[in-house]
Amino acid sequence: MENPKLNIFFRLLDICLHPVMYLLQGNFIEKPQETHPWHVKKYKWKGRGIKIKGNDDLAKYSQSGISKYLGLYHAPILGGLRKYVVLEDSKFKKFWNVGWDGHIQVLRIYEPRIKLLVGKEGYNAHGLSDDRNEVKLSIIDFGKIGDGKYKNIRLF
């Protein structure tokens, strides 16, 4: 499979939603959540990836059930997920994509580090390099939205 790309319509929609995502996050200091349904595609992953333990027990909503379809788990001010993991791909060349449990994020990553919400249930995360090979991801740290520790790292 080719590395996915986002079309122009959805890029414009992302731009329009950007301020809303800051509001739903509850602060304007950290980069807001970037993952929307049109960013995620099904993907048959054959590698192992890295296990992310779900431990956001205080969140009212998770990535499953009705909240998955309404996106409530991406709205911390409404009780959505707050805890994140910082992942690193230190050996990418041009860009990489991140994926989890049978899905891949179409937004390309041009930095070595990203943040992913850990969720309540946990999952396996994986990286796909620009040449479509598996990348080895490392867990750097964990945090919580609003802690300001990794405010300049994108949140997926």
Side-chain angles (χ1 to χ4, degrees), residues 1 8 35 38 42 60 79-80 84 92 97 105-106 125 128 133 137 140 149:
M1 177 180 179
I8 189 71
T35 301
W38 52 89
K42 290 188 185 240
K60 292 180 187 174
Y84 62 80
F92 78 98
N97 295 79
Q105 166 66 264
V106 300
L128 181 68
N133 289 310
L137 297 177
I140 301 303
K149 291 188 334 184

Side-chain angles (χ1 to χ4, degrees), residues 1-17:
M1 177 180 179
E2 186 176 317
N3 288 70
K5 285 186 191 176
L6 193 62
N7 73 39
I8 189 71
F9 171 77
F10 288 122
R11 285 189 207 157
L12 292 172
L13 188 55
D14 284 346
I15 291 167
C16 293
L17 282 175

Side-chain angles (χ1 to χ4, degrees), residues 18-122:
H18 200 71
V20 174
M21 297 311 291
Y22 273 113
L23 289 172
L24 291 174
Q25 176 174 284
N27 76 58
F28 289 87
I29 297 167
E30 297 174 284
K31 290 189 176 191
Q33 172 68 243
E34 292 186 47
T35 301
H36 301 296
W38 52 89
H39 294 150
V40 182
K41 295 190 180 215
K42 290 188 185 240
Y43 187 78
K44 289 190 179 187
W45 185 252
K46 295 180 179 151
R48 292 187 317 190
I50 189 167
K51 179 71 177 161
I52 307 298
K53 183 180 177 196
N55 65 0
D56 202 343
D57 298 329
L58 296 178
K60 292 180 187 174
Y61 307 107
S62 69
Q63 305 102 311
S64 60
I66 191 74
S67 67
K68 173 182 179 180
Y69 299 103
L70 298 176
L72 295 174
Y73 64 98
H74 281 167
I77 65 165
L78 301 175
L81 301 172
R82 289 185 123 2
K83 292 184 180 182
Y84 62 80
V85 59
V86 178
L87 297 177
E88 182 176 72
D89 168 14
S90 60
K91 297 182 181 176
F92 78 98
K93 292 183 173 81
K94 294 179 186 174
F95 65 87
W96 60 289
N97 295 79
V98 68
W100 51 86
D101 292 344
H103 296 86
I104 192 153
Q105 166 66 264
V106 300
L107 297 177
R108 292 179 173 181
I109 304 162
Y110 296 96
E111 307 86 24
R113 292 183 177 179
I114 59 157
K115 298 186 293 191
L116 289 179
L117 294 171
V118 297
K120 294 180 90 144
E121 296 91 15

